[in-house]
Amino acid sequence: MSYLNELNEVQRKAVTNTDGPVLVVAGPGSGKTRVLTYRIAHLIEQGAAPWEILTLTFTNKAAKEMKKRIATVVGDKANKVWAGTFHSIFSRILRVEAEKIGYTSNFTIYDSDDSKSLIGNIIRGMGLDTKKYNSNAIRSRISSAKSKLLSPQAYANNEEWLLQDRMNARPMLAEIYKRYAARCKSAGAMDFDDLLFKLYELLDQNPDNVKEKYQQKFKYVLVDEFQDTNQLQYQIVKKLVEYEGSPNNICVVGDDAQSIYAFRGATIENILDFEKDYKSKGIKIFKLEQNYRSTDHIVQAANEVITKNRKQIQKKIWSDKGEGHKIKVIKAISDTEEGRRVADTIIEHKNRYHLSNSEIAVLYRTNAQSRIIEEYLRRQNVAYKIFGGQSFYQRKEVKDLLGYMRVVVNPNDEEAFKRVVNFPKRGIGKSSIDKIIAFASENGMSLWDSLGKVPLPAKATKSLGEFVKMIRSFQRVCETANAYDAASVISKKSGVTDALKGDSSVEGVNRLENMNSLLDGVKDFVDSDEEVVGLEDKSLASFLQTIALYTDQDEDKGDKEFVTLMSVHAAKGLEFKSILLTGLEENLFPSFMSMDSPDAIDEERRLFYVAITRAEQFLTLSFAKSRIQHGKMRYNPPSRFLEEISLNHIESTAVISGRRLSEPSRAGVSGNFKSNKRAAPALMIDPKDFQPSPSSEIKEGMEVLHLKFGKGKIVKIDGGVENRIATINFSQIDSPERRIMLKFARLQIVS
């Protein structure tokens, strides 16, 4: 049993105490997977049959890795262990037992698109408003009901859920759920949630003693990432484990401090109440508190933060990897400055500490935050990859709105035209579009010029006429409006915004945030004074030129060494030498949606805990005093989570709610690191106190303030009355002489 020698004392006890209920509380980086796999291997070594061991995970990758590790100890026996995700294992059981609940063994499994399509058909068939009854939001609601053990009948009798539906102007939701369940049944189909819900029904109704069959089959049940289970999953496990004369051989492994999936239905109460549930059965609890990943400053900061949560299993993680580097805090005036300084810090870590791109990750609370970070990484020529999502400009909702902008600027843009002509749906079917394409090709014309010349069904002809009228109205707006004003009109009147607002699911909210972030980018382009000369206007066409330069660089150039960009949720379970966590402001992290709920704030704090414990050696936390959101400048105070870290763990400089941290280095570069390029200093101009002066009053020789470049002196002014260009010397920045068109500049006269 040499494998036991690889374990510390607590890990060894968790592995070898195989009988009865066991709770393993596993802190971050504490060797959780090793304990779980060696426990299974030890069971087999002690004589347990591998096919009598059921191990439930949340990813197929985790199950595969587990079997691989078990095999290093017990060989091919590992392949006979029932190890897999809840869905994969339960679908195997349902294939065998399906006839007992009225299904055939070859039932179809509907994916999310199948479910949304069926729900959409039901909604339209009932004559309901598809904006109020958005199919994705309805699917999410039904999924939530199943995770709470609510059948269609139970839903219809649950006054609390019905009241919520009435308050959300969706009183027919219970009927939709009933019809959806019936349609799935008649089609011989189950959706992903049914793979759990139908198994629960099977065990609960217990036809032909099927429950006893599986209780006897699985002598040992193990659950990984137990803090991520929902009520339905736990109830299924209980039915397999709890019965008269049961040895209660259940082992759950998890960390309440890393429970971050409430929006998916996970309930932290499962792990918090596990000890109480099995106290009478002689439960054993083992706490894995040694962190093998991070240095001491990071570990102790994590401890300080998580102790603020109200409900938790008490533990204190520790590390013997030395103090390491203190945590760096970046305070930025704006979100654009934050993006630049994050990129500068990455360059520092690469040059000063010789980290490779693959050892660095940038984390954010919402995917929409990636836009500015991506832009500055491109400027620094740093290879990056979006993990758990697409590059910002490749996201569908972003490309849809950009498609409208492209058609307005250039109606002959064929790809953009095809993308938006029937989005949102306006009754122009694929066959009509194919006819237009064929006619244009045969006559050497653009699709736009072909409109009105192709015989089409009356509905399609009318809809195309309205589409053309709408695009031409947008073109008239663009004749006088800047890029942001034009983009705002297009997003609202095209129907794109309404289409996204109708989806209240988590995914739908994220898509709306991404589209609003694109509009924020247009606003930033209009307000920015950078590179004005050469792009002589702030039109929509000029904005699209700059976007084309960005999107052309999205292609993979074959460089496998990239910096990882991802949301904090996507980072769970991963680790990097350097973590840069951005956007640490109230209403962003913690999210504004959590402000009215203590439980939601606790979950946000757990999410922060997960983020900072991904770091092995370097942890950088950043926040901005101002941020453009939904086209408006927002001023949010620093996140409360920054306040919860003791100053003795902080290396960088910032002022957080009156707390003075050590003075920051230029542009976020600390120590004696010398860059080949002198970075712009952190400019201490508060946007709330900044008052731009009328451009007509700005004269040669004046001293002025600029939000981004600081104090400068007007060297000369040339150009016509409407297009005056000022040459300004900003002494504190690299390449101090800037030429800025005054009618777009935002300058405050100092003297």
Side-chain angles (χ1 to χ4, degrees), residues 295 297-298 301 324-331 338 340-350 352-353 578-582 584 608 612 615 617-623 642 645-654 656 661-673 679 682:
T295 50
H297 280 302
I298 296 170
H325 298 269
K326 287 189 175 183
I327 298 166
K328 180 175 186 172
V329 176
I330 292 175
K331 173 187 176 181
E338 180 190 41
R340 173 178 62 77
R341 294 180 65 180
V342 163
D344 287 344
T345 302
I346 289 172
I347 294 296
E348 176 194 5
H349 286 176
K350 285 163 61 68
R352 183 179 182 186
Y353 300 110
S578 173
I579 288 289
L580 297 97
L581 178 58
T582 62
L584 283 166
F608 180 69
I612 64 180
Q617 298 178 13
F618 302 93
L619 177 60
T620 303
L621 309 175
S622 70
F623 67 97
L642 290 169
I645 300 175
S646 298
L647 291 179
N648 58 308
H649 300 307
I650 303 292
E651 165 256 312
S652 303
T653 306
I656 307 176
L661 306 179
S662 56
E663 188 64 23
S665 310
R666 297 178 306 165
V669 179
S670 60
N672 297 317
F673 171 72

Side-chain angles (χ1 to χ4, degrees), residues 197-212:
F197 192 75
K198 294 299 181 184
L199 182 64
Y200 175 81
E201 286 188 338
L202 176 70
L203 298 176
D204 189 53
Q205 296 166 9
N206 198 26
D208 300 332
N209 296 318
V210 68
K211 181 171 65 174
E212 285 79 2

Side-chain angles (χ1 to χ4, degrees), residues 564-719:
T564 296
L565 272 62
M566 64 173 71
S567 70
V568 179
H569 281 102
K572 187 170 177 290
L574 303 177
E575 56 188 40
F576 297 87
K577 285 189 177 178
S578 173
I579 288 289
L580 297 97
L581 178 58
T582 62
L584 283 166
E585 301 133 38
E586 292 289 294
N587 297 310
L588 182 56
F589 199 176
S591 166
F592 71 94
M593 292 188 290
S594 68
M595 292 301 171
D596 296 330
S597 167
D599 285 343
I601 288 291
D602 280 0
E603 173 132 343
E604 290 287 302
R605 186 176 284 107
R606 292 193 295 270
L607 191 60
F608 180 69
Y609 177 85
V610 166
I612 64 180
T613 55
R614 301 310 93 198
E616 297 176 10
Q617 298 178 13
F618 302 93
L619 177 60
T620 303
L621 309 175
S622 70
F623 67 97
K625 291 187 69 177
S626 63
R627 185 177 298 273
I628 295 179
Q629 291 178 294
H630 311 301
K632 296 181 180 179
M633 189 70 78
R634 309 285 182 182
Y635 304 98
N636 293 321
S639 170
R640 67 191 69 191
F641 303 146
L642 290 169
E643 289 277 6
E644 294 170 359
I645 300 175
S646 298
L647 291 179
N648 58 308
H649 300 307
I650 303 292
E651 165 256 312
S652 303
T653 306
V655 179
I656 307 176
S657 300
R659 295 200 320 169
R660 183 72 187 176
L661 306 179
S662 56
E663 188 64 23
S665 310
R666 297 178 306 165
V669 179
S670 60
N672 297 317
F673 171 72
K674 294 182 179 179
S675 171
N676 292 327
K677 178 180 178 181
R678 184 163 65 91
L683 303 170
M684 303 308 291
I685 305 170
D686 194 325
K688 289 181 287 187
D689 300 328
F690 184 75
Q691 298 289 334
S693 303
S695 61
S696 59
E697 296 180 6
I698 296 174
K699 312 293 183 186
E700 288 185 9
M702 284 184 170
E703 287 192 339
V704 294
L705 276 180
H706 185 280
L707 264 179
K708 189 174 295 182
F709 304 137
K711 183 182 287 188
K713 185 172 183 177
I714 307 290
V715 178
K716 68 174 181 177
I717 297 176
D718 51 45

Side-chain angles (χ1 to χ4, degrees), residues 123-173:
I123 291 168
R124 288 188 292 274
M126 293 173 67
L128 299 174
D129 185 339
T130 55
K131 290 183 180 178
K132 288 183 179 179
Y133 290 90
N134 176 273
S135 57
N136 201 42
I138 302 302
R139 182 184 68 87
S140 179
R141 180 71 166 170
I142 292 172
S143 173
S144 179
K146 290 177 182 177
S147 74
K148 301 291 186 183
L149 301 174
L150 289 176
S151 65
Q153 183 177 355
Y155 191 112
N157 294 325
N158 189 303
E159 187 54 40
E160 181 182 348
W161 282 63
L162 295 178
L163 177 61
Q164 291 174 0
D165 291 340
R166 290 194 294 269
M167 291 175 65
N168 290 322
R170 294 170 179 165
M172 298 302 294
L173 211 151

